[in-house]
């Protein structure tokens, strides 16, 4: 016992010594200089996961989000921004490449990056023009963005299968006590600052992981893309008293409010370290979230226009069933339904610090996460090859008041197994439901989707085209056809029959042709067209 006591005392002494040294060196004031200028400002892309705009007080929510509001009130806000796919990895891939998922091959989470052309990504172009490029994110289970995209450095939890096994394993009194300390960072690297380890996740821990990047001098201007995943399900973290039962809405709102504080703390870190003197800051959400509210799908029952052979106005079952009983105007999760605009509607705003730009404004017109790459490069006067996104720089600079017309805007769903279709999916359920569909690299332990699973995902996808006031969605059916759903965004009227007089008011056949040209053989024959 005496020897064990001496060993324990020695171990604790070493820990305290290391803690003292760490505090000594980190508490010394540093003279920080930055490499930005008006010609080469710092670039910050701040993503917050699953934020639907109508849950921010700027857009009318009764729950206050003062820090989002403060940023948006000083920014050019694009109020009708859409994501091409409501999943984090494909959405960020489209953001960084300026291309649709169909074009860059990021069609789903955990896609094999070897199939992707990452030679002309935003960070790689900025790298070539003298920028230091960094990506930071507090979730890597389904989003494996790394240096392949052109980042000099990434700040994330460890990537790979061990994150699934170890990230939520440390739910014990000792680990819960120390996991968010500097000792816990080294003892429990799969839990520290890791959003999926929600029992022990502390939003401040992830900010501490960013301090070595932010609280230092930079010879080059800095491009930092950071993504906070706190509002992602399960809307729970270490200090939050989770509301049991059917309280998803309350829990989600609480997570949005806590993310509001996290945003303020991050912006304060940037300001304190002189990184906002000359900078372009983009605030976005990668996608929204459907919470089974009425209106979470844009198809209200009383606005249905019956098909020619459906005089009794029976509402078609055009979307996949879920564990939950949903009305035709309800939906759940994200990436599950292309007509759930609360899943696909994103926050998008650009704010200039120390640079001349437009007066703060809320701008209408369809924009997209695809537009971020061309917008940033245009603001920097950096030439770039063709991108599917359009530059919004003239609007940000005040040269134009309207966003450019874009014609067709395409969206697609992801695969929707039962565990994801629920409003409250569990990461482990998702993994083990599809365990036969994933492969593990024995050297890196990274998971990727098997080719056979990839083909299954593609065959199950829904597709949509937004063209002016019209939306045309195509839903795969068991008979090998796709059911069309045509919606007028102004009136809310919709139909599943493109032969009706209502459908003849729309460019429906042109939209079908546009989808067929873009997605090729993935578009099966269309019913009632």
């Amino acid at each position: 016992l005496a020897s064990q006591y001496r060993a324990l005392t020695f171990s604790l002494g070493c820990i305290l010594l290391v803690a003292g040294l760490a505090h000594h060196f980190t508490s010394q004031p540093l003279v920080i200089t930055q490499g930005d200028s008006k010609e080469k400002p710092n670039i910050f892309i701040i993503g917050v996961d699953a934020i639907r705009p109508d849950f921010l007080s700027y857009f009318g929510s009764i729950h206050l989000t003062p820090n989002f509001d403060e940023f948006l009130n000083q920014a050019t806000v694009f109020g009708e921004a859409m994501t091409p796919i409501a999943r984090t990895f494909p959405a960020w891939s489209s953001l960084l490449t300026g291309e649709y998922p169909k074009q860059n091959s990021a069609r789903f989470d955990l896609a094999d990056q070897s199939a992707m052309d990452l030679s002309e990504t935003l960070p790689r172009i900025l790298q070539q023009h003298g920028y230091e490029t960094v990506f930071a994110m507090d979730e890597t289970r389904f989003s494996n963005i790394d240096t392949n995209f052109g980042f000099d450095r990434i700040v994330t939890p460890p990537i790979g299968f061990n994150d699934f096994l170890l990230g939520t394993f440390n739910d014990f009194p000792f680990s819960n006590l120390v996991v968010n300390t500097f000792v816990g960072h080294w003892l429990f690297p799969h839990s520290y600052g890791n959003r999926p380890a929600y029992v022990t996740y502390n939003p401040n821990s992830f900010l501490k992981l960013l301090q070595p990047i932010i609280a230092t001098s930079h010879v080059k201007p800095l491009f930092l893309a950071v993504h906070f995943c706190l509002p992602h399900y399960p809307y729970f973290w270490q200090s939050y008293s989770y509301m049991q039962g059917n309280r998803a809405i309350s829990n989600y709102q609480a997570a949005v409010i806590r993310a509001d504080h996290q945003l303020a703390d991050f912006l304060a870190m940037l300001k304190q370290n002189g990184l906002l003197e000359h900078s372009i800051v983009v605030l976005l959400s990668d996608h929204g979230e459907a919470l089974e509210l009425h209106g979470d799908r844009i198809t209200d029952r009383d606005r249905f226009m019956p098909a020619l052979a459906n005089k009794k106005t029976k509402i078609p079952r055009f979307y996949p069933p879920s564990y939950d009983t949903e009305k035709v105007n309800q939906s759940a999760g994200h990436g599950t339904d292309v007509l759930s605009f609360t899943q696909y509607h994103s926050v998008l705003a650009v704010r200039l610090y120390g640079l001349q730009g437009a007066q703060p404004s809320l701008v209408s017109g369809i924009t997209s996460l695809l537009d971020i790459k061309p917008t940033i490069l245009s603001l920097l006067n950096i030439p770039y090859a063709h991108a599917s996104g359009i530059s919004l720089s003239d609007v940000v600079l005040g040269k134009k008041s309207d966003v450019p017309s874009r014609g067709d805007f395409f969206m697609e769903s992801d695969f929707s197994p039962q565990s994801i279709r629920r409003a409250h999916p569990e990461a482990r359920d998702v993994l083990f439901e599809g365990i036969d569909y994933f492969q593990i690299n024995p050297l890196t332990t990274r998971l990727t989707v098997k080719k056979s699973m990839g083909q299954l995902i593609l065959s199950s996808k829904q597709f949509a085209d937004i063209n002016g006031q019209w939306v045309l969605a195509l839903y795969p059916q068991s008979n090998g056809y796709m059911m069309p759903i045509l919606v007028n965004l102004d009136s809310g009227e919709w139909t599943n029959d493109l032969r009706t007089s209502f459908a003849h008011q729309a460019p429906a056949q042109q939209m079908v042709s546009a989808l067929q040209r873009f997605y090729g053989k993935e578009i099966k024959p269309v019913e009632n067209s």
Side-chain angles (χ1 to χ4, degrees):
L1 290 176
S3 62
Q4 292 175 348
Y5 176 78
R6 285 194 298 270
L8 178 60
T9 302
F10 177 75
S11 299
L12 290 174
C14 290
I15 291 174
L16 292 173
L17 176 61
V18 172
L21 290 173
H23 175 75
H24 172 77
F25 286 112
T26 58
S27 64
Q28 299 306 302
L30 298 174
V31 178
I32 294 177
T33 59
Q34 304 297 354
D36 58 290
S37 65
K38 288 186 177 181
E39 293 71 31
K40 285 192 172 183
N42 293 322
I43 311 293
F44 299 104
I45 298 179
I46 306 173
V48 186
D49 205 282
I51 293 283
R52 47 187 286 174
D54 61 334
F55 271 65
L56 302 180
S57 46
Y58 177 90
F59 291 99
S61 171
I62 61 173
H63 300 278
L64 297 180
T65 50
N67 300 301
F68 278 106
D69 292 358
E70 194 281 331
F71 183 96
L72 296 172
N73 281 322
Q74 300 299 319
T76 303
V77 182
F78 299 96
E80 298 177 57
M82 305 293 285
T83 183
I85 183 170
R87 287 274 195 259
T88 301
F89 177 74
W92 267 94
S93 296
S94 289
L95 183 164
L96 296 173
T97 62
E99 303 289 356
Y100 283 102
K102 171 66 176 178
Q103 297 167 317
N104 63 30
S105 298
R107 309 296 298 278
F108 36 79
D109 288 339
L110 296 177
D112 185 354
Q113 294 182 22
S114 65
M116 300 176 64
D117 180 3
L118 301 176
S119 60
E120 293 292 327
T121 63
L122 175 61
R124 198 172 302 283
I125 293 173
L126 293 176
Q127 205 177 46
Q128 294 165 357
H129 284 78
Y131 274 78
E132 177 186 356
T133 59
V134 183
F135 179 79
M137 186 177 183
D138 55 0
E139 192 279 335
T140 60
R141 292 190 179 179
F142 295 104
S143 182
N144 292 174
I145 292 174
D146 56 20
T147 54
N148 290 331
F149 283 79
F151 291 104
D152 297 313
R153 181 176 175 184
I154 61 168
V155 181
T156 67
I159 297 175
F161 185 67
N162 287 336
D163 180 28
F164 283 94
L165 296 180
L166 303 178
T168 52
F169 182 72
N170 297 309
D171 185 17
F172 301 102
F174 173 73
S175 59
N176 290 344
L177 181 66
V178 303
V179 70
N180 289 301
T181 67
F182 80 97
V183 175
H185 181 198
W186 299 110
L187 290 179
F188 308 111
H190 290 86
S191 299
Y192 186 90
N194 188 356
R195 175 65 185 97
Y198 54 86
V199 173
T200 57
Y201 178 74
N202 183 331
N204 295 330
S205 295
F206 181 57
L207 291 176
K208 290 177 182 177
L209 289 177
L210 297 173
Q211 282 183 327
I213 298 291
I214 294 173
T216 189
S217 297
H218 296 90
V219 176
K220 301 177 179 180
L222 177 63
F223 170 58
L224 172 59
V226 60
H227 193 63
F228 300 99
C229 292
L230 183 59
H232 194 285
Y233 184 82
Y235 325 132
F236 174 76
W237 62 99
Q238 186 187 50
S239 60
Y240 176 61
S241 298
Y242 187 75
M243 297 184 184
Q244 299 294 331
N246 188 22
R247 303 299 298 273
I249 298 170
S250 298
N251 292 320
Y252 173 74
Q253 184 68 70
V256 170
I257 291 172
R258 182 61 183 87
D260 183 72
H261 294 293
Q262 196 177 29
L263 171 67
D265 291 340
F266 177 68
L267 289 171
M269 290 172 62
L270 296 179
K271 184 176 181 179
Q272 290 166 3
N273 290 280
L275 289 167
L276 293 180
E277 296 297 320
H278 309 99
S279 65
I280 300 169
V281 182
V282 179
L283 178 65
L284 62 91
S285 58
D286 53 344
H287 52 75
E289 187 84 341
L291 299 164
E292 293 187 308
L293 295 170
H294 292 283
D296 274 354
R297 184 183 288 111
I298 61 172
T299 47
D300 284 327
R301 183 180 186 86
D302 60 359
R303 307 305 291 168
F304 176 61
M305 307 295 287
L308 294 178
N310 188 11
K311 298 301 184 181
K312 294 183 178 180
T313 68
K314 181 179 180 181
I315 302 296
R317 183 75 177 187
F318 55 88
Y319 48 89
S322 74
Y323 282 157
D324 307 286
T325 302
E326 294 173 355
K327 302 295 184 181
V328 73
N329 67 349
Q330 293 178 302
S331 189
H334 53 263
T336 63
D337 196 325
V338 290
L339 287 182
S340 175
F341 273 27
T342 54
Q343 297 184 30
Y344 284 78
H345 188 191
S346 300
V347 176
L348 179 58
V350 182
R351 182 173 173 180
L352 305 181
Y353 291 79
L355 306 169
Q356 288 295 110
Q359 293 297 313
S361 60
L362 176 59
V363 182
S364 60
I366 295 293
T367 55
S368 167
L369 299 187
L370 301 173
D371 304 336
I372 293 172
K373 173 187 171 181
T375 298
I376 289 176
L377 293 178
S378 296
L379 289 171
L380 298 176
N381 296 311
I382 294 176
Y384 58 92
H386 168 77
S388 293
I390 58 177
S391 173
L392 306 173
S393 61
D394 283 349
V395 181
V396 174
L397 294 173
K399 297 178 180 179
K400 294 182 178 178
S401 57
D402 299 319
V403 300
S405 175
R406 71 187 317 129
D408 299 291
F409 176 71
F410 301 113
M411 302 187 301
E412 61 184 79
S413 68
D414 195 359
F415 183 56
S416 299
Q418 292 281 31
S419 58
I420 298 177
R421 277 289 302 156
R422 283 181 292 164
H424 318 297
E426 290 286 352
R428 286 174 181 262
D429 291 347
V430 174
L431 176 66
F432 290 113
E433 178 180 312
I435 194 68
D436 292 334
Y437 306 130
F438 297 97
Q439 56 193 3
I440 303 174
N441 185 312
L443 298 178
T444 65
T445 75
R446 288 198 179 190
L447 280 84
T448 55
V449 170
K450 290 181 179 178
K451 187 175 181 179
S452 57
M453 176 58 175
Q455 293 300 318
L456 179 61
I457 293 174
L458 295 180
S459 67
S460 74
K461 278 182 177 286
Q462 312 150 15
F463 303 98
D465 177 21
I466 303 178
N467 187 316
Q469 71 192 69
W470 297 95
V471 181
L472 176 66
L474 301 179
Y475 288 79
Q477 303 297 298
S478 58
N479 61 6
Y481 284 77
M482 303 194 87
M483 180 183 289
I485 302 294
L486 179 69
V487 186
N488 185 304
L489 292 174
D490 291 341
S491 67
E493 295 172 318
W494 62 283
T495 187
N496 66 329
D497 192 337
L498 302 186
R499 301 167 298 178
T500 61
S501 58
F502 167 75
H504 289 162
Q505 302 171 32
Q509 295 303 328
Q510 294 94 309
M511 296 170 78
V512 171
S513 297
L515 287 163
Q516 289 171 335
R517 285 193 303 271
F518 190 75
Y519 288 104
K521 294 181 179 179
E522 294 176 20
I523 303 297
K524 305 298 188 296
V526 179
E527 296 176 337
N528 304 323
S529 62

